[in-house]
Each structure stands twice: as structure tokens, then as C-alpha cells.
Amino acid sequence: MATLTHQTPQTHFLSKLPLRTKPRAISARVKMSLQESAPSLAVVGVTGAVGQEFLSVLTDRDFPYSSVKMLASKRSAGKRVAFDGREYTVEELTAESFDGVDIALFSAGGSISKAFGPLAAERGTIVVDNSSAFRMVDGVPLVIPEVNPEAMRGIKVGSGKGALIANPNCSTIICLMAVTPLHRHAKVKRMVVSTYQAASGAGAAAMEELVQQTREVLAGRPPTCNIFGQQYAFNLFSHNAPITENGYNEEEVKLVKETRKIWNDTEVKVTATCIRVPVMRAHAESVNLQFENPLDENTARELLKRAPGVYIIDDRTSNTFPTPLDVSNKDNVAVGRIRRDVSQDGNYGLDIFVCGDQIRKGAALNAVQIAEMLL
Amino acid sequence: MATLTHQTPQTHFLSKLPLRTKPRAISARVKMSLQESAPSLAVVGVTGAVGQEFLSVLTDRDFPYSSVKMLASKRSAGKRVAFDGREYTVEELTAESFDGVDIALFSAGGSISKAFGPLAAERGTIVVDNSSAFRMVDGVPLVIPEVNPEAMRGIKVGSGKGALIANPNCSTIICLMAVTPLHRHAKVKRMVVSTYQAASGAGAAAMEELVQQTREVLAGRPPTCNIFGQQYAFNLFSHNAPITENGYNEEEVKLVKETRKIWNDTEVKVTATCIRVPVMRAHAESVNLQFENPLDENTARELLKRAPGVYIIDDRTSNTFPTPLDVSNKDNVAVGRIRRDVSQDGNYGLDIFVCGDQIRKGAALNAVQIAEMLL
């Protein structure tokens, strides 16, 4: 996947969608890892934006494996994908696909997860699922490794037992990466989140359509609106997730409910407004925090400096703060605009601005980090 | 100015920047209004984005005038501008420019306002100033006509006395147009605002650069970064206003302080995070509200339905809510996503999403409405 910065010519960008095509040389590490003791893997939805990022992250992190199955729908079966110096043929996903598979990374939508996740787990596979299918199911751990690794205690490759583990929603992961270190120190009472969400959250086709629409609008032609049904280029709109009974959309409800489950805190109050902006692959979030205990902005900065997976961009003099492009294709979440909230008394409130790569930490990287904890 | 929708071919867009060139036929109304009893006008900064919009709004609203002076810096003097069926030559702004001028609409930046606003007022001109120069000055009314017309009581054309009247900042106007009707009913205690601000707020050159950068990035070339010093196309960033001592940028401080002055309420608590998004000319704002008295979402909807200058786009079934394109080149501010805030008990909180044209209601229209009240 590409960022659409000036470093990434557009031809390059499109050529990388949806499939990685250039195999790399097999490394010594790969040869070493291709051994019986390493886990056997499956990637479900491998031809999608997150599926492709799974492969990229597995390679980047030298994830050990003895074998890997590339799985997708019948439509994509037979396609070739490159991974870690080899070419693989995409196989059609069936229940039998999971025979002998230790870890399966799923990102093929909620209905595929619902249909095949439990079947895989019954066969002894540990499923790390990127869809929303099981996130709020009791007993299914919902995990950000830097935040609540304890939730998946006892789930290990080699135990002979399959399991389901849910990857949180991208907006939740990116928000809580920055907020949890503050929460641990001063306990968040209430959080107001407004998001600036990238095209990638709606998949590779949405990213392509944003490029296409932008070209069309610049040329004075009507924009092609297949994905969102409205102009996205030079525009923004309320997140396209369905609206629930209370007027919140499902994306916002995820931020509310997943935060409670991940923090194991049924009391924390969260409200969110989720907005789609014409940005390619990284989300931004404006987060207002109310704390139970005092937390001044310097302490907050120190806490965030030490937080794993987080870095600070917060130079007031040069007006340099996190942007989606800063974090695109990057692992870590950037935090800035750290300041005492002037609308609250004393040191009981902070405003921060967070950016994170939606496909990477918001999806694929977090899932692979979960898989690493299984070893 | 153009919206950069598919209705507006890009060539058309650029041809309209920065000057209106096509004179229209003189209407009967114009001939009628060109009479001694109508006020004499001056437009300061007439070649800028807001200056051009002043002319457009004056025409659209049949604003009566006996004469009009087109004023700008020395650099722009001699240019031709079309207004209401005639062509005018832009004159260099001097103190003497205001001799015999009843109403001057200023939008040429704070330093020009500071230098020439008081000189004009001394000469008996009523200045409606779009800059931030006088907004927080005691005794200078800061006015949104739908919100606090009483602030300019006693200031009239024909009284023989000059005056300064300040136009609030665009983000403040757009926010308060939607929030004031709710505030009047239930009293806002605290407001958390996150903005999604368009290029137009930084002027016509920023709008042009967004177009240019977008073309460059799509072509794989490095983007031209003269205005903001960073990539704006397919990106977003913290508002470019300077950061003040408490970590808020000046744009955010305006939302805090102007709200208090306009509402004449020193107690109301406001925090804001202002973000620039790659949208052409309309701002969006996510606003979280805490009220002193209960206000349920149906009552809020009724109040907003009746509010002047506001309309509701809030169809949950079809997921249709306000977007910047909906309000571009429009007078009224659109409100949607009206819902009870689940992070607050009972009916003491609401979340709303507001969009308004930055150049029109956020600047030129509001100023012309102020001028209308002077007659």
C-alpha cells in the first residue's frame, strides 16, 4: 500500500493495489524460520488492503513460520501473491483450509469471520480477527498488546486449543495507544473524540476511488461515486457506518464500547463523532480528556515519551504537530497538541491530537503483535 | 469564488481567482439604488477572496448604495473589478479614501485594519472589519446579526458618527449560528469543539495551492508548499495560526474568547482543537455540548428548525448529514448528527455536527448583514 505522498508516484500507487507483485530474495532468516517448530500460518482475505499489509508486517517483523496459506474468496482464488521471497497461489477459503494451521489472521469482513472463525477455532487454530464480528462477545479477548496483553493470558500456540482473539477497531486502537498511558496515571472519567478518518478504513477500492474522484473533479468531470455515494474529493462527511438507534453510527459505538472492554472499565464515559476526510491511509483524532485525578501537561508528556508504540510530535515554536502523512506506513502512533484543557479547572483535563496508520497499527500490525504474543 | 465541485470545471475555478471579470448588465434596482439617500460604500481588500465575496453578497442581497470605492494595497491599485454591472478601478488605500464614505467593509488583514480602521472611523465612516484586530477590544461590538444584534445598538448610518464593528472569526460564527439557539434554551456550560477547516480561511492563494499540490501529488511530483510549508493535498494538519502560551493556537483562542464576548457570558467554558483539512471553502465543526438545563434532542431539533440562518440535514436512515460541499456558496449553516451525548447523564448533553461556508457566512455575508443593520 502506498501513502500518496510526493515520494510515491501515482503510477506506483496504483500498481501496488491490490496485490504485491515483486518477490524478494529469500533471506537466511526465512530459511531458518521455515522449520517445524515455527507455527503454521494462514492469512484470510489476503488480497485486501489489510491482507496485503499482514504480509508486509510479517516480513518486516521476521515473524517465524513453518508454512503459510494464502486464503481468499473463490473470486480471488488462483491469483498469485508474493511473500518473503516466494510466490504463493491464493486458495479458496473453506473450513478444511484450517487443518494444521496454528495461527490465522483474518481480515475479510465480519460475515466471513462469523462463518469461518469458529470453524477454524474448533480445528485448533488461534484466530486473530480484524473484523467486528467477535469484539464484543464475552470471553473473546479484545487486545491492544501495549494496553491489555493480560486479556489473552493462557492462549498459546502449542496448547492444542484453538481460540478467537479480536483486533479492536482502528479508531479505538489509535486513540487508546495515546490515551491509555494517561488513563493509567490519572484515570479517564470522560473522553470526547472527533475523528478525521482516512479512505483506507473503507478498503483499497475506497482509496482508489478517492484518487479517481480527485482527478475527475480537477478535470471538471462528475466524480465516480461507487463506494460512498457522494463526492469525497475536496469534501468530508459523517462516517458511512450505519446509524444505530441512539443516533450514533456504528463506528462511534465501537469507540465507546471497545474502550470499556479493553480498559475493563464499565464506568468510563466516551462520546465520539466519526468523520471521513479525504486522506489516504492514516487516521487523526482530536481527543478531549477529563480525569479523576490531576495530570499536568508536562507529566502527560513524560508518560507519553515512555509509552511503547507512541511518539511525540509537539513543537509549538515551529507549529509542528502530527499529521496523517507523518505516520503513514509507520508502526507508531504520533501524539501532539498536548495541552491543559482551559475549559476545566486545575489539572483535570487535557486536549491531545493523535495520528496513526489505519492499515498498520490500526489493523495489520496490531494483529501480528497479538500473534507474536501467542508464541 | 468557486467550490471545486464537479459542477465547477477547474479552468472556471482558476479563472475566477482572484478577480471577478465578467460585468453583468445594470439592473433596474441598481439604477434606483444609485441615489443620494443610499449609503456610500468602500470595500477594503477588494482583490482578496473575502473582498470578492463582499461584492458578490452586496449584489445578491440588493444592498443599496450611492457609490462604492474599491480599495486595496498599492500593488493591486489600477486593477479592474466588476460589480453590479459596472467596472471599477481599484484605488490605493489611504486615509483620505474614507472621506465621504458611510460604510467600509474591511478584509485586508489585521495590520491594515489597525492602521486604517480608526482613521476611517475618525472621518465618520462605520467600519465593519473582518480581521481580528478589534474583536476583543472593549467597546467594539463583535456581532453575529442572528445572535447578538443588540451589541451594535445606536450605531447607524446618518448619525454622523463613525464606529468600528468587528466581524467574528469564521469558526466562531459557524459554531455559534448552530449553538446559540440551544444555548438560549438550556444554557451551555461547556463546549468542546474540533474543527475541519477549509483552505479558504488562509485566502485565495491557499485554495490555489491546494489545487496545485493535488495535481502535483497525483502526478508523483513534489508538492509546492509556499503557503503552509507542508503537504496539504491528501493530508491535514493543526491550524497554522501561531501557538499561544497555553498551547492553544490563536484560532482556538478566538473560539474561546469570542464566544464569551458574543454571548456576553464570561463563565462559559470552551475548548477547541482547530485542524486544517483539504477542503476548498466550507468549514465543518464537531461540537460537544454540556448544558446547565435539560435539553432533549427533539427539542434541540425544533429549536434549530426555527433558528434563522440555520437548516437541518439529519437523515439517519440514508446516512445524510451536512458536508462542506452542501453549504459551499450558500448563506445558511447546516446542522446534523443531532443526538443525545451518551457520555452525559440524562438530557444535559448533545453532540452536533455543523458546516458553513467560510467565505460567505463565515466572513462576507456576516459583514454585509451587519452593514444592513446600519441602515
Side-chain angles (χ1 to χ4, degrees):
Chain A
M1 302 305 305
T3 321
L4 211 68
T5 66
H6 63 281
Q7 295 90 346
T8 309
Q10 192 274 336
T11 47
H12 187 205
F13 165 69
L14 285 186
S15 76
K16 286 189 108 181
L17 278 172
L19 297 184
R20 219 165 249 277
T21 49
K22 242 181 132 188
R24 285 184 255 181
I26 297 178
S27 66
R29 181 198 58 74
V30 172
K31 283 172 204 146
M32 219 173 66
S33 70
L34 287 167
Q35 55 193 27
E36 284 308 300
S37 66
S40 55
L41 307 181
V43 176
V44 180
V46 70
T47 56
V50 174
Q52 286 289 294
E53 199 75 14
F54 280 146
L55 300 186
S56 174
V57 174
L58 288 168
T59 311
D60 292 352
R61 296 178 73 87
D62 285 353
F63 195 94
Y65 63 96
S66 57
S67 65
V68 57
K69 281 186 186 174
M70 305 298 184
L71 303 172
S73 67
K74 197 171 184 173
R75 198 171 44 87
S76 294
K79 285 187 181 171
R80 307 280 292 166
V81 291
F83 170 60
D84 212 10
R86 297 192 168 191
E87 279 229 339
Y88 292 79
T89 303
V90 176
E91 298 170 47
E92 185 188 348
L93 171 66
T94 67
E96 290 68 39
S97 304
F98 299 100
D99 288 336
V101 169
D102 294 315
I103 302 172
L105 303 172
F106 271 63
S107 189
S111 55
I112 295 292
S113 292
K114 277 184 189 152
F116 290 94
L119 292 175
E122 279 168 24
R123 282 173 155 77
T125 304
I126 301 174
V127 172
V128 184
D129 181 36
N130 191 50
S131 83
S132 62
F134 308 112
R135 285 178 191 151
M136 296 312 299
V137 173
D138 273 349
V140 174
L142 181 67
V143 178
I144 306 171
E146 292 89 343
V147 173
N148 63 333
E150 70 282 358
M152 49 187 286
R153 197 175 292 141
I155 307 178
K156 285 277 174 205
V157 165
S159 69
K161 284 200 299 194
L164 294 172
I165 303 172
N167 213 35
N169 190 42
C170 47
S171 311
T172 313
I173 294 175
I174 292 164
C175 180
L176 296 196
M177 281 297 289
V179 176
T180 302
L182 311 176
H183 173 62
R184 282 188 187 131
H185 186 93
K187 199 166 192 315
V188 171
K189 267 199 323 194
R190 181 169 176 260
M191 178 160 83
V192 178
V193 185
S194 294
T195 71
Y196 304 68
Q197 296 187 229
S200 58
M207 298 168 78
E208 288 185 81
E209 189 165 291
L210 175 56
V211 170
Q212 185 185 352
Q213 277 200 10
T214 306
R215 289 186 190 286
E216 289 164 342
V217 170
L218 285 173
R221 292 200 305 272
T224 303
C225 300
N226 294 329
I227 308 289
F228 298 115
Q230 63 182 311
Q231 186 174 327
Y232 188 14
F234 303 104
N235 199 20
L236 56 83
F237 45 82
S238 184
H239 192 284
N240 48 297
I243 305 289
T244 67
E245 218 168 62
N246 63 7
Y248 282 71
N249 64 43
E250 286 178 4
E251 186 79 2
E252 293 157 355
V253 171
K254 288 172 188 173
L255 253 163
V256 175
K257 292 192 174 170
E258 293 180 16
T259 297
R260 290 183 179 160
K261 180 164 176 174
I262 292 167
W263 282 353
N264 191 23
D265 176 354
T266 54
E267 298 299 307
V268 62
K269 294 174 189 309
V270 180
T271 183
T273 298
C274 289
I275 304 294
R276 188 82 74 182
V277 295
V279 161
M280 215 37 82
R281 61 170 284 160
H283 288 353
E285 306 186 29
S286 165
V287 184
N288 177 268
L289 296 163
Q290 294 178 260
F291 296 104
E292 202 154 298
N293 304 307
L295 173 58
D296 64 71
E297 67 182 40
N298 288 332
T299 307
R301 211 168 272 118
E302 284 308 312
L303 292 167
L304 290 168
K305 251 183 217 163
R306 293 200 298 267
V310 173
Y311 71 114
I312 296 177
I313 306 179
D314 203 29
D315 184 354
R316 294 177 179 180
T317 314
S318 67
N319 218 323
T320 306
F321 303 108
T323 74
L325 281 189
D326 290 328
V327 297
S328 290
N329 293 294
K330 302 276 171 59
D331 285 351
N332 291 349
V333 165
V335 194
R337 300 302 320 277
I338 303 159
R339 60 204 192 279
R340 191 182 85 76
D341 172 4
V342 296
S343 75
Q344 295 183 65
D345 294 331
N347 284 316
Y348 289 87
L350 285 174
D351 277 299
I352 61 173
F353 189 65
V354 187
C355 290
D357 186 291
Q358 185 274 328
I359 309 179
R360 212 161 172 93
K361 183 58 187 172
L365 171 63
N366 197 73
V368 172
Q369 288 175 310
I370 291 172
E372 287 172 347
M373 295 170 61
L374 298 170
L375 302 181
Chain B
M1 304 306 303
T3 321
L4 209 68
T5 65
H6 63 281
Q7 294 91 345
T8 309
Q10 192 274 337
T11 48
H12 185 206
F13 165 70
L14 285 185
S15 75
K16 286 188 107 180
L17 278 172
L19 297 184
R20 218 166 250 277
T21 50
K22 244 181 128 187
R24 285 184 255 181
I26 297 178
S27 65
R29 182 196 58 74
V30 173
K31 284 171 202 143
M32 221 172 64
S33 69
L34 288 166
Q35 56 193 28
E36 283 308 299
S37 68
S40 55
L41 307 181
V43 176
V44 180
V46 71
T47 57
V50 174
Q52 285 289 294
E53 199 75 13
F54 279 147
L55 301 186
S56 174
V57 173
L58 289 168
T59 311
D60 292 351
R61 296 177 72 88
D62 285 354
F63 194 95
Y65 64 96
S66 57
S67 65
V68 59
K69 281 186 186 174
M70 305 299 183
L71 302 171
S73 66
K74 197 171 184 172
R75 196 171 45 86
S76 293
K79 285 188 181 170
R80 307 281 291 166
V81 292
F83 170 59
D84 212 9
R86 295 193 168 189
E87 277 228 342
Y88 293 79
T89 302
V90 176
E91 299 169 48
E92 184 187 349
L93 171 65
T94 67
E96 290 69 38
S97 304
F98 299 100
D99 288 335
V101 170
D102 294 315
I103 302 172
L105 302 173
F106 271 63
S107 189
S111 55
I112 296 291
S113 292
K114 277 183 188 152
F116 292 94
L119 292 176
E122 279 168 23
R123 281 174 155 78
T125 304
I126 300 174
V127 172
V128 184
D129 180 35
N130 191 49
S131 83
S132 61
F134 308 112
R135 286 179 191 151
M136 297 311 300
V137 173
D138 273 347
V140 174
L142 181 67
V143 179
I144 306 171
E146 293 88 343
V147 172
N148 63 333
E150 70 281 0
M152 50 187 287
R153 198 175 292 140
I155 307 178
K156 285 276 173 203
V157 165
S159 68
K161 284 200 300 195
L164 294 172
I165 303 171
N167 213 35
N169 191 42
C170 47
S171 311
T172 312
I173 295 174
I174 292 164
C175 180
L176 296 195
M177 281 296 290
V179 176
T180 303
L182 311 177
H183 173 62
R184 282 188 187 132
H185 186 92
K187 199 167 191 315
V188 171
K189 267 199 324 196
R190 180 168 177 260
M191 177 160 84
V192 179
V193 184
S194 295
T195 70
Y196 303 69
Q197 295 187 230
S200 58
M207 299 168 77
E208 286 184 84
E209 189 166 289
L210 175 56
V211 170
Q212 184 184 353
Q213 277 200 8
T214 306
R215 289 186 189 287
E216 289 164 342
V217 169
L218 285 174
R221 293 199 305 272
T224 303
C225 299
N226 294 329
I227 309 288
F228 298 115
Q230 63 182 310
Q231 185 174 329
Y232 188 13
F234 302 105
N235 199 19
L236 55 84
F237 45 83
S238 183
H239 193 284
N240 49 297
I243 306 289
T244 67
E245 220 169 62
N246 63 7
Y248 282 70
N249 64 43
E250 285 179 4
E251 186 78 4
E252 293 157 355
V253 172
K254 288 171 187 174
L255 253 163
V256 175
K257 293 191 173 169
E258 293 180 15
T259 297
R260 290 183 179 160
K261 180 164 176 174
I262 293 167
W263 281 354
N264 192 24
D265 177 353
T266 55
E267 298 299 306
V268 63
K269 294 175 189 310
V270 180
T271 183
T273 298
C274 289
I275 304 295
R276 189 81 75 184
V277 295
V279 161
M280 216 35 83
R281 61 170 286 160
H283 289 353
E285 305 185 30
S286 166
V287 184
N288 177 267
L289 297 163
Q290 294 178 260
F291 296 104
E292 202 154 299
N293 305 307
L295 173 59
D296 63 71
E297 66 182 41
N298 287 333
T299 307
R301 211 168 274 117
E302 283 308 310
L303 292 167
L304 290 168
K305 250 184 219 165
R306 293 199 298 267
V310 174
Y311 71 114
I312 296 176
I313 306 179
D314 203 28
D315 184 353
R316 295 178 179 180
T317 314
S318 66
N319 217 323
T320 305
F321 303 108
T323 74
L325 281 189
D326 289 329
V327 297
S328 290
N329 294 295
K330 302 276 171 61
D331 286 352
N332 290 350
V333 164
V335 193
R337 300 301 319 277
I338 304 158
R339 60 205 192 278
R340 190 183 85 77
D341 172 2
V342 295
S343 76
Q344 295 182 65
D345 294 330
N347 284 314
Y348 289 86
L350 285 176
D351 277 299
I352 62 173
F353 190 66
V354 187
C355 290
D357 186 293
Q358 185 275 329
I359 310 179
R360 213 161 172 93
K361 183 58 188 173
L365 171 62
N366 197 74
V368 173
Q369 287 175 310
I370 290 173
E372 286 171 348
M373 295 170 61
L374 298 170
L375 303 180

